Amino acid sequence: MRNPRILKILSIEPFKIETLWTNGDVRLIDFVNKLASFSENERYKPLLDFEVFSKVEVGEGDTLCWQNIQYKTAKGKLSPLAFDPDVLFEESQLLAPNPIIEIDTNHEFTQAEYARRNGINPAKVRTWVRRGRLKSRYVPHLDITLVVV
């Protein structure tokens, strides 16, 4: 079974990021213990500057990424710095378990999951939801909008 993915960044502290995951968990990702290894790796070294670190966002693959740090892939393409979401999930600390929320898993999906299942850009799904082209419902205690199909 696949681990949950990051839905939203809730807060950013010096080298700690509180996140909301697709299963409803609130988890803390602590980068403090990785700082020593960051200083030894040119790709990660910019993260030592908190101003750079704080520019984190949820990117493609529903994981943490830094658009402000680009590196060349093996194919020579520029890509933002990102971390494996499975590793982040495994290494993160559970702060609050998923609240009780009734989701009809056959008919309701997070916007990211809907996009992934249908091969659509997540930004396009968000636009369709905003414009009312996709039926959705807002879940206030998670601060997310689910697509209803």
Side-chain angles (χ1 to χ4, degrees), residues 9-25:
I9 295 171
L10 302 175
S11 68
I12 303 168
E13 298 174 23
F15 310 108
K16 295 180 182 184
I17 303 170
E18 189 176 314
T19 52
L20 174 65
W21 292 74
T22 54
N23 66 351
D25 286 354

Side-chain angles (χ1 to χ4, degrees), residues 101-118:
I101 176 175
E102 290 186 28
I103 295 177
D104 178 352
T105 56
N106 293 321
H107 302 287
E108 292 182 317
F109 306 96
T110 65
Q111 293 176 43
E113 182 66 15
Y114 181 85
R116 186 188 67 74
R117 287 174 178 244
N118 291 287

Side-chain angles (χ1 to χ4, degrees), residues 74-129:
K75 295 180 180 178
K77 180 181 166 192
L78 280 179
S79 181
L81 179 65
F83 286 87
D84 183 324
D86 291 323
V87 173
L88 293 176
F89 182 80
E90 295 298 327
E91 293 181 353
S92 63
Q93 173 190 357
L94 179 64
L95 297 179
N98 54 354
I100 296 172
I101 176 175
E102 290 186 28
I103 295 177
D104 178 352
T105 56
N106 293 321
H107 302 287
E108 292 182 317
F109 306 96
T110 65
Q111 293 176 43
E113 182 66 15
Y114 181 85
R116 186 188 67 74
R117 287 174 178 244
N118 291 287
I120 303 169
N121 183 317
K124 187 175 280 194
V125 172
R126 287 190 295 276
T127 300
W128 289 348
V129 166

Side-chain angles (χ1 to χ4, degrees), residues 48-93:
L48 296 172
D49 177 353
F50 181 66
E51 192 169 320
V52 173
F53 181 86
S54 66
K55 303 278 192 248
V56 65
E57 57 187 57
V58 178
E60 285 188 40
D62 303 318
T63 190
L64 298 181
C65 81
W66 284 263
Q67 296 291 339
N68 55 336
I69 304 173
Q70 298 279 320
Y71 71 95
K72 278 191 176 179
T73 65
K75 295 180 180 178
K77 180 181 166 192
L78 280 179
S79 181
L81 179 65
F83 286 87
D84 183 324
D86 291 323
V87 173
L88 293 176
F89 182 80
E90 295 298 327
E91 293 181 353
S92 63
Q93 173 190 357

